[in-house]
Amino acid sequence: MAADPHLICAAAALEEGGRGVRFLVEWYGRPEPAFVVRYEGVPRAYLNRCAHVPTELDWQEGDFFDLEARYLICGTHGALYEPRSGLCVLGPCKGRRLVPLQVEERDGQIFWLPNQTA
């Protein structure tokens, strides 16, 4: 049985290619930082953890995109990730992925859906 959805933010808080919203999830019994951004009109969420070394991606709170809003970027290592899939396309973790989280946009809100895979 799936757990109830958790409200992250208002949908209007996510602009295409703009700042993301950070939130906490319970991951294997521990609180873990996560984030959601809007890309190609869809909210995309991941654990806020680089696939190379477990450091948070955003170089300033909520800044996950590169300057062209084409890739998610690790502020520590400069690794670039495709926002659609979380696949690292450049950097020390090339070929690995961010951990995806299932989110849903409905009724003007963004929700995290625990116990579901992306």
Side-chain angles (χ1 to χ4, degrees):
M1 181 168 125
D4 291 334
H6 293 272
L7 177 64
I8 299 171
C9 63
L14 297 178
E15 293 183 20
E16 180 72 25
R19 292 176 57 85
V21 173
R22 295 170 52 112
F23 61 103
L24 285 176
V25 298
E26 186 170 322
W27 194 254
Y28 291 100
R30 295 186 347 220
E32 291 285 341
F35 69 95
V36 62
V37 294
R38 186 175 300 282
Y39 183 75
E40 296 178 336
V42 178
R44 316 267 181 179
Y46 298 96
L47 287 185
N48 192 0
R49 181 170 56 202
C50 181
H52 176 231
V53 176
T55 184
E56 295 180 5
L57 268 68
D58 45 342
W59 56 279
Q60 289 186 3
E61 187 169 331
D63 288 332
F64 294 98
F65 281 105
D66 66 357
L67 294 176
E68 297 168 350
R70 184 173 174 196
Y71 295 104
L72 301 173
I73 187 168
C74 176
T76 301
H77 306 103
L80 298 178
Y81 297 91
E82 292 180 340
R84 185 182 315 111
S85 66
L87 177 68
C88 181
V89 295
L90 183 69
C93 49
K94 187 175 180 180
R96 298 199 314 218
R97 294 180 186 272
L98 298 174
V99 176
L101 300 171
Q102 183 68 35
V103 291
E104 172 180 85
E105 181 173 357
R106 66 178 153 82
D107 301 324
Q109 305 288 330
I110 305 292
F111 295 90
W112 168 53
L113 306 175
N115 298 336
Q116 297 194 19
T117 57

